[in-house]
Each structure stands twice: as structure tokens, then as C-alpha cells.
Amino acid sequence: MPYSSDVAAAEALTNSYQKLKSEISKVVIGQDETVRLLLTAIFCQGHCLLVGVPGLAKTLLIQTIASALDLDFNRIQFTPDLMPSDILGSETLDQERNFKFIKGPVFANIILADEINRTPPKTQSALLEAMQEYAVTIAGQKYSLGRPFFVLATQNPIEQEGTYPLPEAQLDRFMFNIYLDYPSYQSELDIVKNTTSDRQNEVKRVITGEEIREFQQLVRRVPVVDNVVEYAVKLVHKTRPNTEMAASDANQYLEWGAGPRASQALILASKCNALLNGKYSPDIEDVKAVALPILRHRVVRNFKAEAEGISVEQLIKRLL
């Protein structure tokens, strides 16, 4: 529905966000920061990678968000024998012996790519074109994907056996890399009480695909002052070792820094973060609020950092 002004649309976005949060909290307890980042990515037209040990409700969280949005949702369980055609679809012969394209599960609005690092690179890269171009090509024919379109992937950081780490180029296509930690004692008490009773929580659909597309356009129209853009770009430049603006920590501990996609993501996400907090323009605090999940998977530590036990998170916090 068209809004009378951008201010009215911004207020509608804030209200929709609060409604979404309260619907999601019926099922998912305690993951407030993760929910905020996932919804930010959706409003920014980005993709997310969720990394956490088993049992932290990564899959449940994405399914719950999909239930609260009036969108098509498909879950793909990634396994070592999964083929690209299992995701994209394939051409088959019909009764008249004509080739007919049968669409794969990627043709939905929200794709849950469960345990994405369990499948070989050939199948992982089948998602690449879909994530970047919003289209898939089968037998030379290009098929557009419906909008909005998000890939929300999960990954287990413990298991290394029988997994295929995502290459840097593919990681770069995820707007956020979100780490899920163990719940607090109080949250876990609530989780156990809620999930071991016979109570069923119904999640209502509170926002349509049309509204999401309008909010995505609104986020892009948010004005940003030059000093905020300069701060974001400088921050990304600081991560690039042996360059003119590199920070001393980057020269000492990083092998590679973040690319231009990081700068774009910082500005888009900070615009959305400002709107979700009832502001009409982002400031440097909004950039800082989204910097960690944006930069975490885009910088690569060197051997010295690994030997000294310095984590990517510590380095990013020093740069901020």
C-alpha cells in the first residue's frame, strides 16, 4: 500500500518491525540481536549466514520468521550428494516429448539453505547466480526469481569432517555473518518450559511481500550525511593490510581485508538500523552497530593472529 510520505512509510516500517519481533518471540526466546540482524537483512535485500552449534534453534528461527512474513518459503537440506539441479530445477521430457522446465526449490521468496557447508562447491555455487542476479540459467534459458528473495543459510562451526568451507567469493555475497551463542541461564529455563509442554504458539502473518518491497525501496531513499559514508569507507580501508589507509593491527594480523561490498553493506544496514530505531538518517553509531556481522566473514587473519589467539572479532572491535 502506498504511503502518503516517506515519514509515514518509516513509521510503518518501525511498527511492522515491532509486530514481527513480538510474533517471533512467541516461538523463539532470547535471540533479540539475531532477529534484529535477520530482519535488517530482509529490509536491505541482503542474505544471511547463521553460524552456531547444533540445538540453538537456527532452523526454527528462520522458519518462524518465514511464518510471520506472507511469503513462499522452501527449506533445502544440503548433503554431500546434492546436485545443482536439486536446487535449481531441471528440464524433463513431457508426454509430447517436448522439454519442459520443472522448477526447483530455489523458486521461492525465502530459502533456508540448511548446513550449506555440507555440500560440494559445485552445488554451493549453484546458489551464487540466484543470490547475486536473482535469476537462474538452465540449458541457456534464463529464469527470473520472484521478489523479494532471500537466502538464509546455516552452518555448524564444530564439524570439519565431510564439510566444504564456503570460498571467500561466496561468503562475500552474504550481507551478514551472524554468530549464535549459547542462551543465557534464564533464557534456557524459559526455552525448556516452553518446549516441553503441550502449548502450541501460533505465529500470525504480519507483513506481505509487497510491503517488504516498499520498505526495501524506502531504506535506499534514506539520506546519509557525508561524514557517515566517509567513516564506513575508512573503516573498510583500515582492514586492508599494506595499503595507504591500513590500520597497524591490519598490517600485523590480517592476510586480506574487506572489499567494496562491505562498504555498501555498512551504509545500507546503517540506514535500516536508523529506521528501526525511529531515526530518519543514520549516524556513526548505526554503522558501529552493524559492523561486526558485516566484516566478520570478509577479513582473513594471518598465521601470526592465529598463533597468538587473536580472533577476528577482537580485531574488528579494535578498528572500531
Side-chain angles (χ1 to χ4, degrees):
M1 53 186 210
Y3 297 97
S4 56
S5 68
D6 280 354
V7 172
E11 283 165 8
L13 172 58
T14 312
N15 292 338
S16 296
Y17 170 63
Q18 295 303 337
K19 281 186 201 162
L20 279 168
K21 264 195 352 184
S22 70
E23 285 301 314
I24 292 161
S25 66
K26 288 180 186 175
V27 178
V28 178
I29 294 162
Q31 301 279 13
D32 296 344
E33 176 67 5
T34 306
V35 169
R36 180 181 70 83
L37 289 170
L38 277 168
L39 294 176
T40 300
I42 285 172
F43 293 134
C44 291
Q45 212 173 319
H47 310 288
C48 276
L49 181 64
L50 279 137
V51 180
V53 297
L56 295 186
K58 299 185 292 293
T59 304
L60 176 69
L61 174 58
I62 294 170
Q63 286 174 331
T64 307
I65 287 176
S67 306
L69 304 171
D70 194 9
L71 298 171
D72 291 335
F73 168 71
N74 277 335
R75 177 185 182 202
I76 306 168
Q77 183 67 50
F78 281 72
T79 56
D81 59 352
L82 199 74
M83 297 296 286
S85 58
D86 296 330
I87 296 173
L88 306 178
S90 56
E91 291 207 311
T92 58
L93 283 170
D94 63 14
Q95 288 162 329
E96 283 81 50
R97 301 192 67 73
N98 295 320
F99 278 108
K100 184 184 176 192
F101 178 59
I102 306 292
K103 289 180 175 179
V106 78
F107 286 87
N109 300 115
I110 300 181
I111 304 297
L112 164 52
D114 223 347
E115 297 199 81
I116 193 169
N117 58 332
R118 283 209 164 282
T119 202
K122 183 179 182 180
T123 308
Q124 288 174 0
S125 62
L127 269 181
L128 270 184
E129 185 189 9
M131 287 167 70
Q132 194 61 27
E133 312 291 333
Y134 299 98
V136 299
T137 307
I138 306 286
Q141 179 77 34
K142 200 166 191 172
Y143 299 91
S144 292
L145 296 166
R147 297 290 195 85
F149 175 76
F150 320 105
V151 173
L152 305 175
T154 71
Q155 198 170 297
N156 173 357
I158 304 173
E159 291 173 316
Q160 299 306 322
E161 209 171 303
T163 62
Y164 304 83
L166 286 170
E168 267 67 33
Q170 186 151 358
L171 280 174
D172 197 32
R173 283 173 167 75
F174 286 101
M175 183 174 199
F176 291 137
N177 179 353
I178 305 168
Y179 262 56
L180 271 80
D181 215 340
Y182 290 110
S184 65
Y185 174 70
Q186 190 54 52
S187 292
E188 195 158 342
L189 277 179
D190 295 339
I191 289 165
V192 173
K193 284 176 189 170
N194 272 17
T195 53
T196 53
S197 70
D198 63 350
R199 196 172 70 199
Q200 295 289 316
N201 288 314
E202 195 66 40
V203 176
K204 291 203 288 283
R205 296 187 170 225
V206 291
I207 184 169
T208 65
E210 190 54 48
E211 287 173 308
I212 290 172
R213 283 201 295 272
E214 285 193 24
F215 291 147
Q216 287 174 344
Q217 293 304 317
L218 172 71
V219 167
R220 289 183 172 269
R221 289 199 298 272
V222 169
V224 191
V225 291
D226 282 353
N227 75 309
V228 174
V229 181
E230 284 161 16
Y231 176 80
V233 176
K234 265 184 198 153
L235 177 61
V236 173
H237 272 259
K238 277 188 199 172
T239 68
R240 297 172 186 166
N242 308 317
T243 59
E244 196 184 334
M245 296 171 79
S248 61
D249 274 339
N251 287 333
Q252 211 176 341
Y253 295 116
L254 291 179
E255 189 86 32
W256 292 102
R261 272 203 195 106
S263 307
Q264 294 166 330
L266 281 170
I267 292 302
L268 263 181
S270 65
K271 286 180 175 191
C272 186
N273 196 63
L275 288 176
L276 297 184
N277 289 314
K279 296 186 287 188
Y280 299 127
S281 180
D283 52 30
I284 285 170
E285 289 309 308
D286 290 302
V287 177
K288 287 180 177 176
V290 295
L292 189 60
I294 286 174
L295 295 174
R296 177 187 276 137
H297 56 302
R298 291 182 163 99
V299 298
V300 180
R301 290 180 303 162
N302 61 17
F303 179 73
K304 186 175 187 215
E306 287 182 33
E308 291 180 23
I310 295 169
S311 70
V312 167
E313 283 81 1
Q314 286 171 310
L315 289 170
I316 294 167
K317 281 172 183 165
R318 286 190 205 176
L319 296 176
L320 288 170

